[in-house]
Amino acid sequence: MNGPEKGGEGDTPERGVATKVRPKTKKPSLYRVILMNDDYTPMEFVVSILMGIFKKTQEEATKIMLNVHQKGVGTCGIYTFEIAETKVAQVMDAAKRAQHPLQCTLEKT
Ligand code: TYC
């Protein structure tokens, strides 16, 4: 189609407001969900949290749990803010209901 020019890319001199089309898609910031070790939360509970909330396999969940157990802290996953925030809330809620002191937080990447 050869309709009238609308952008700023024709061969006529520019006038008025620049309207060059530019895709306006900023990449969302990402957040790491961190799990903290403690001396009381059962290992099986942490594995069940990693499988249920973070969709890890039993093998992945066990590896992450043992890493947190040994190092004191570890990453469960990296998500956009709303998803990360929701997962933290789900972990804290499950831990509270089960009366375990498990702690989970967010960290901007
Ligand atoms: N340290 C706990 C225990 O020995 C297990 C554990 C692992 C707790 C990871 C929390 O984020 C955690 N029962």
Side-chain angles (χ1 to χ4, degrees):
M1 291 280 208
N2 274 327
E5 288 182 39
K6 287 232 174 80
E9 298 204 272
D11 49 15
T12 47
E14 298 279 334
R15 256 192 296 119
V17 182
T19 57
K20 184 161 181 175
V21 187
R22 180 182 359 126
K24 198 163 83 186
T25 55
K26 287 203 201 71
K27 294 210 187 85
S29 300
L30 293 176
Y31 295 78
R32 201 173 279 123
V33 176
I34 308 283
L35 207 54
M36 257 77 69
N37 188 36
D38 65 70
D39 292 338
Y40 305 102
T41 303
M43 290 185 170
E44 309 76 57
F45 182 81
V46 178
V47 170
S48 75
I49 287 285
L50 288 163
M51 292 175 71
I53 298 174
F54 297 93
K55 309 303 173 196
K56 305 297 182 187
T57 63
Q58 176 131 17
E59 291 70 33
E60 289 171 331
T62 303
K63 203 182 275 183
I64 294 169
M65 181 280 294
L66 285 174
N67 180 61
V68 175
H69 176 69
Q70 288 158 8
K71 304 263 170 71
V73 52
T75 300
C76 308
I78 295 175
Y79 308 94
T80 55
F81 184 77
E82 283 203 339
I83 294 174
E85 191 189 36
T86 300
K87 291 196 187 286
V88 169
Q90 288 171 337
V91 173
M92 296 305 284
D93 185 58
K96 190 175 178 179
R97 283 168 184 274
Q99 297 185 281
H100 295 313
L102 185 64
Q103 294 291 309
C104 183
T105 58
L106 278 190
E107 181 183 288
K108 199 172 193 295
T109 61

